[in-house]
Amino acid sequence: MALPPVAPHVRLANDIAAQFRHRDPAAAAAEIAAHIRAFWDPRMRARLIEDAEAGHGGLDPLTVSAAALLAAPAR
């Protein structure tokens, strides 16, 4: 039985998170969020935030933390 396909934004965000796994989790989430903020289309960011807030099971925990930072109001 084949696994369901992973949405491109989920796969990409998890791939980015894998590159920061060696860092402190808080620092890694901040770096991932900064990368996504700088390079991703706003629609992709919005979908990632929606998936994280909905508890999408396919998201890496670091990706979820980064999405929470992206969703937080700017200070």
Side-chain angles (χ1 to χ4, degrees):
M1 180 176 220
L3 295 173
V6 177
H9 67 281
V10 171
R11 182 187 49 76
L12 183 55
N14 287 342
D15 286 349
I16 295 167
Q19 302 303 312
F20 291 93
R21 196 163 323 292
H22 66 284
R23 304 276 313 267
D24 168 75
E31 293 281 343
I32 295 163
H35 177 86
I36 290 171
R37 194 175 286 114
F39 297 106
W40 281 32
D41 180 272
R43 294 169 294 188
M44 283 180 64
R45 285 196 307 264
R47 286 195 61 202
L48 179 65
I49 293 166
E50 289 171 9
D51 285 349
E53 289 175 345
H56 187 289
L59 289 171
D60 183 287
L62 285 175
T63 302
V64 173
S65 296
L69 293 174
L70 291 167
R75 296 180 194 178

